[in-house]
Amino acid sequence: MAPVKNGRYLYLAIPDGTPVHPLTHPANTNAAPIRTEFPEPGKTMVYDDSQTIDLDQDGATPLEHGTFLVKVLVLSVDPYLRGKMRDPKIESYTPAFVVGEPLYNYGIGVVLLSENAAFKPGDHLYGVFMFQQYVVESDPGAFRVIENREGLPWSVYLGVCGMPGETAMYGWKEHAHPNKGETAFVTAGAGTHIEHSIPHISYVLGFADRAASRASGPVGSTVIQLAKADGLKVIASAGSDDKVAWLSSIGADVAFNYKTVDTRAVLEREGPIDIYWDNVGGETLEAAIEYAARHARFTECGMISQYNTAQPYHIKNLKSIVGKELSLSGFIVTSLRAKYEAEFRATFPRRVAEGEIRYREERVHGLGNAGRAIVDVQRGRNFGKSVVVVADE
Amino acid sequence: MAPVKNGRYLYLAIPDGTPVHPLTHPANTNAAPIRTEFPEPGKTMVYDDSQTIDLDQDGATPLEHGTFLVKVLVLSVDPYLRGKMRDPKIESYTPAFVVGEPLYNYGIGVVLLSENAAFKPGDHLYGVFMFQQYVVESDPGAFRVIENREGLPWSVYLGVCGMPGETAMYGWKEHAHPNKGETAFVTAGAGTHIEHSIPHISYVLGFADRAASRASGPVGSTVIQLAKADGLKVIASAGSDDKVAWLSSIGADVAFNYKTVDTRAVLEREGPIDIYWDNVGGETLEAAIEYAARHARFTECGMISQYNTAQPYHIKNLKSIVGKELSLSGFIVTSLRAKYEAEFRATFPRRVAEGEIRYREERVHGLGNAGRAIVDVQRGRNFGKSVVVVADE
């Protein structure tokens, strides 16, 4: 069989030549001010189809023992990718992308050939993939086979049935402690923290873009539906009127556009709130404290408004944590995985397949359009989980 | 029997004529700036012995049905009393003292005569008493009989076996989640919040004085001993060298004078901390966040540094709540009483009697010296739980 093109989406340069959205470690309170220039397809990143690959094991590129050839089907596009487009000399807790190499992120691929006993052709793998049509991998521990008995689109395993869905379910189960009839305020959700373990260092990938991280994202919209299933009144915010309409359609009792409506006014009218799902921090967290009921639970999934500024917002009512007996619980999805993953995998695909939990996706077709998808997410133009569909199967 | 003098300690005037330490509700973030003038014995409050009382039921002041006559033995002196010495027109969630009337606070008294079936002569009652040698009461629900099988000094039931001890134990059991070998940092303890329920309003008495509220107080020193009993390394701070020596003597592994030693330097050297017992808030809370270990638990007992300022400290590293997966749990002792009170009453007096839990008291003898005790507490001069011994029995 003749070699075929193996398209790649390459990282070429740091946007604007300055570090943007550095993935500052939470302990690093002295991060330097940073500019927020956007990456540019064709300039700071580019699609390249100059390479080829022989997909036939008897051909020119036989697989070495232990390796397996994967055809990439879908790739996740997340705000945090922007933080990897920085000067690698800038201290951070996640590696910078390497200039001249492909981008990479979580994705789903199908095994075409395998010289590794862990996987067989036809297996669908979840893991971190290069932005590349075909990859040869060798570490079976870095991937997991997805059964998908429900026949969901593979991309769903990057969203509501993947890490964002896990984030919603794990945080809700561990920290929200819902009681029927209570009121929840869900501000955020597209982003959360993903943590990777590398030898001796754990680091956090802070999602970069506030606009993309309101309740209309996969985390927030899933939280809304979990809250409604638990019999709560849900207040939810999003950054556009069509997103607000989506939040209402999935059950939010009160949905508002935080860009045009004052959050405090909404909370004053619709609160007090018993549960706050925070992915924003800053002024919104302050408002949530102000309109929190006694014994309210704050699930601290993220504080995205505070990541990209040298001068964090001054929250002035923290003393109410004592007086109102609030609990604030920070969490990272990976820490709760051992506790809830089995339940998640056993229930979420079914609940999604049955329409009990709904989701939205922004599907971009073709690896050549990955750059556009990345920019859209940075600018908050996506509506739902952003994925690049590299191939249909 | 002839009538005897019934001395009283009267509240005469608002110190300096301006509200000081108003007991601001936690939700009230717009408290006006306030001056902190000190009350002055003989001027803003005074001892008066012009009244008499007939202690013989067959004499001139027979008890009405349902009432009982109590001889006051010990009265608690707490920082929060200062907040009640304010213009009653100033909005607050606890009543101001009434000019011309006695002060009042928690205390212990012994029943001399009773026309109420709830109590009999010789019963020792815990509750809120006027600063007065003898009182006639009528609401048995406002008092509780203390058995004191261990024969402890009655004053102990205002300290380590009373609300401060309850605060330490309840908060520790509910929120600290200690694991042997971990490190705890205990900053504060003399003060905490006491909550009273009045019809339709619950209010908080914020302790007023930071100096009196470090680990050398009854809450903090009890927390230290609970932490040591659980096998933890304990870092503790106090505001004088003799208090630091006391903290070491009750088991603190690292004790330091926060007025002369930099808290951050201590935490950097001795941390990271897994548990933070906070009664201070502000800059110390920020330091605790900075030197917190992953998954650290913060028991938010108070944020006294933030109560008396119009410009709360700007904590700049709150985003670490997410990244470090911290939990901050605010609490008020009364909310946890139903859950832990039985265990507290069954165990604390015994543990104190056996010397397993140690305490310090600052005993002032004679109701006439109550004013001096109040000022000392405001100035942080007391060392241990401050009590006025009104009578020996």
Side-chain angles (χ1 to χ4, degrees):
Chain A
M1 186 173 164
V4 299
K5 282 189 185 298
N6 189 9
R8 305 176 299 159
Y9 210 91
L10 304 176
Y11 173 57
L12 289 190
I14 300 164
D16 197 40
T18 57
V20 182
H21 300 150
L23 304 175
T24 53
H25 187 268
N28 176 15
T29 56
N30 302 313
I34 44 177
R35 279 188 279 169
T36 55
E37 296 298 325
F38 290 91
E40 207 175 322
K43 192 169 167 188
T44 70
M45 51 189 179
V46 73
Y47 182 66
D48 170 85
D49 68 353
S50 63
Q51 291 198 346
T52 61
I53 188 169
D54 192 332
L55 303 178
D56 186 339
Q57 198 172 6
D58 300 315
T61 53
L63 286 180
E64 288 179 30
H65 181 71
T67 65
F68 42 103
L69 171 65
V70 181
K71 180 183 181 184
V72 176
L73 299 179
V74 280
L75 291 165
S76 181
V77 176
D78 301 298
Y80 85 86
L81 296 178
R82 182 65 186 83
K84 295 173 73 68
M85 300 175 179
R86 70 172 192 277
D87 184 345
K89 291 195 295 289
I90 302 287
E91 189 182 354
S92 178
Y93 292 78
T94 180
F97 283 133
V98 179
V99 167
E101 296 288 313
L103 304 170
Y104 53 84
N105 198 15
Y106 288 92
I108 310 272
V110 60
V111 177
L112 296 185
L113 300 169
S114 179
E115 292 293 332
N116 190 303
F119 304 126
K120 62 182 186 305
D123 282 350
H124 284 76
L125 304 187
Y126 172 86
V128 172
F129 290 102
M130 290 289 184
F131 274 45
Q132 191 165 308
Q133 288 178 290
Y134 302 94
V135 292
V136 175
E137 298 287 348
S138 61
D139 178 10
F143 301 92
R144 153 172 91 75
V145 174
I146 296 183
E147 304 269 356
N148 194 14
R149 293 193 185 85
E150 293 79 8
L152 296 168
W154 294 109
S155 55
V156 170
Y157 287 91
L158 301 179
V160 66
C161 289
M163 184 275 293
E166 287 179 274
T167 301
M169 190 194 103
Y170 302 173
W172 186 256
K173 289 192 77 89
E174 183 76 6
H175 297 299
H177 308 295
N179 299 298
K180 196 173 171 177
E182 288 187 329
T183 298
F185 175 35
V186 183
T187 52
T192 183
H193 284 80
I194 312 171
E195 189 184 43
H196 297 249
S197 291
I198 55 175
H200 309 302
I201 294 181
S202 61
Y203 54 89
V204 169
L205 310 181
F207 274 15
D209 187 47
R210 181 174 183 174
S213 301
R214 287 280 174 155
S216 57
V219 177
S221 60
T222 305
V223 169
I224 289 169
Q225 294 174 84
L226 295 176
K228 288 309 299 176
D230 283 336
L232 274 67
K233 171 180 170 178
V234 176
I235 305 167
S237 60
S240 72
D241 291 343
D242 58 343
K243 290 174 183 175
V244 167
W246 155 244
L247 298 183
S248 296
S249 77
I250 58 171
D253 301 277
V254 180
F256 67 99
N257 183 340
Y258 71 88
K259 292 179 178 172
T260 58
V261 176
D262 178 35
T263 298
R264 303 175 92 92
V266 174
L267 295 183
E268 183 165 25
R269 189 178 65 239
E270 303 290 346
I273 57 174
D274 303 290
I275 292 171
Y276 174 51
W277 184 280
D278 191 13
N279 208 22
V280 176
E283 197 169 359
T284 311
L285 173 55
E286 184 177 70
I289 290 173
E290 181 168 347
Y291 295 103
R294 193 71 176 275
H295 297 288
R297 286 80 65 197
F298 284 34
T299 303
E300 294 297 333
C301 183
M303 294 195 190
I304 212 160
S305 70
Q306 304 302 294
Y307 294 159
N308 301 300
T309 171
Q311 194 54 226
Y313 182 79
H314 181 181
I315 296 182
K316 291 169 286 295
N317 57 359
L318 288 174
K319 64 185 178 195
S320 294
I321 292 171
V322 180
K324 291 187 173 187
E325 306 188 72
L326 307 181
S327 67
L328 280 68
S329 302
F331 83 104
I332 288 176
V333 59
T334 43
S335 293
L336 296 173
R337 189 163 274 155
K339 188 169 178 181
Y340 295 112
E341 187 178 18
E343 179 184 349
F344 179 80
R345 289 203 205 164
T347 59
F348 252 58
R350 179 184 55 72
R351 293 175 78 176
V352 171
E354 291 174 357
E356 185 188 322
I357 296 176
R358 295 166 62 195
Y359 65 95
R360 277 200 60 132
E361 280 183 346
E362 179 99 8
R363 296 167 72 88
V364 172
H365 290 268
L367 186 56
N369 292 317
R372 200 191 75 205
I374 288 169
V375 174
D376 282 351
V377 164
Q378 291 302 318
R379 294 195 180 274
R381 290 181 192 140
N382 62 309
F383 183 173
K385 179 74 190 86
S386 174
V387 295
V388 174
V389 180
V390 180
D392 281 328
E393 188 65 50
Chain B
M1 186 175 165
V4 299
K5 282 189 186 296
N6 189 9
R8 305 176 299 159
Y9 210 91
L10 303 176
Y11 173 57
L12 289 190
I14 300 164
D16 198 40
T18 58
V20 183
H21 300 148
L23 305 175
T24 53
H25 187 268
N28 176 17
T29 58
N30 302 313
I34 44 177
R35 279 190 280 169
T36 55
E37 296 297 325
F38 290 89
E40 208 175 323
K43 193 169 166 189
T44 71
M45 51 189 178
V46 73
Y47 183 66
D48 170 85
D49 68 352
S50 63
Q51 292 199 345
T52 61
I53 188 169
D54 192 331
L55 303 179
D56 185 340
Q57 196 172 6
D58 299 316
T61 54
L63 286 180
E64 287 179 32
H65 181 72
T67 65
F68 41 102
L69 171 66
V70 181
K71 181 182 181 184
V72 176
L73 299 178
V74 280
L75 291 166
S76 181
V77 176
D78 301 298
Y80 85 87
L81 296 179
R82 182 64 186 82
K84 295 173 73 67
M85 300 173 178
R86 70 171 191 278
D87 183 344
K89 291 195 296 289
I90 303 287
E91 190 183 353
S92 178
Y93 293 79
T94 180
F97 284 133
V98 179
V99 167
E101 295 289 312
L103 303 170
Y104 53 84
N105 197 16
Y106 288 92
I108 310 272
V110 59
V111 177
L112 297 184
L113 300 169
S114 179
E115 291 295 332
N116 190 304
F119 303 127
K120 62 182 186 303
D123 281 350
H124 285 75
L125 304 187
Y126 171 86
V128 172
F129 290 101
M130 289 286 184
F131 274 44
Q132 190 165 307
Q133 289 178 290
Y134 302 94
V135 291
V136 175
E137 298 287 349
S138 60
D139 178 11
F143 301 94
R144 150 174 94 75
V145 174
I146 297 184
E147 305 268 356
N148 195 13
R149 294 193 184 85
E150 293 78 8
L152 296 167
W154 294 109
S155 55
V156 170
Y157 287 92
L158 301 179
V160 66
C161 289
M163 183 276 293
E166 287 179 275
T167 302
M169 188 194 105
Y170 301 173
W172 186 257
K173 288 192 78 88
E174 183 76 7
H175 298 299
H177 308 296
N179 299 299
K180 195 173 173 178
E182 288 187 328
T183 298
F185 175 36
V186 182
T187 53
T192 183
H193 284 81
I194 312 171
E195 188 184 44
H196 297 250
S197 291
I198 53 174
H200 310 301
I201 295 182
S202 61
Y203 55 89
V204 169
L205 311 180
F207 274 16
D209 187 48
R210 181 174 182 174
S213 302
R214 287 281 174 156
S216 56
V219 177
S221 60
T222 305
V223 169
I224 289 169
Q225 295 173 85
L226 295 176
K228 289 308 299 176
D230 283 335
L232 273 66
K233 171 181 170 178
V234 176
I235 305 167
S237 60
S240 73
D241 291 344
D242 57 344
K243 290 174 183 175
V244 167
W246 155 244
L247 298 184
S248 295
S249 77
I250 58 171
D253 301 278
V254 179
F256 67 100
N257 183 340
Y258 71 90
K259 292 179 178 171
T260 58
V261 176
D262 179 34
T263 298
R264 303 175 92 92
V266 173
L267 295 183
E268 182 165 26
R269 189 177 66 240
E270 303 289 347
I273 57 174
D274 304 290
I275 292 170
Y276 173 52
W277 184 280
D278 191 14
N279 208 23
V280 176
E283 197 169 359
T284 311
L285 173 56
E286 183 177 71
I289 290 173
E290 182 168 347
Y291 296 103
R294 192 71 175 274
H295 297 289
R297 286 79 65 197
F298 284 34
T299 302
E300 295 297 335
C301 183
M303 295 195 188
I304 211 158
S305 70
Q306 305 302 294
Y307 294 159
N308 301 299
T309 170
Q311 194 54 228
Y313 182 80
H314 180 182
I315 296 182
K316 291 169 285 297
N317 57 359
L318 288 174
K319 65 186 178 195
S320 293
I321 293 171
V322 180
K324 292 186 173 188
E325 306 189 72
L326 307 181
S327 67
L328 280 68
S329 303
F331 84 103
I332 288 177
V333 59
T334 43
S335 293
L336 295 173
R337 189 164 274 156
K339 186 170 179 181
Y340 295 113
E341 187 177 20
E343 181 184 349
F344 179 79
R345 290 203 203 163
T347 59
F348 252 59
R350 178 184 56 70
R351 293 175 77 175
V352 171
E354 291 173 357
E356 185 189 321
I357 296 176
R358 295 166 61 196
Y359 64 95
R360 276 201 60 133
E361 279 182 347
E362 179 99 8
R363 297 168 70 89
V364 172
H365 290 270
L367 186 58
N369 292 317
R372 201 191 75 207
I374 288 169
V375 174
D376 282 353
V377 164
Q378 292 301 319
R379 294 195 180 276
R381 291 180 190 140
N382 63 308
F383 183 173
K385 179 72 190 87
S386 175
V387 295
V388 174
V389 180
V390 181
D392 281 329
E393 189 64 50

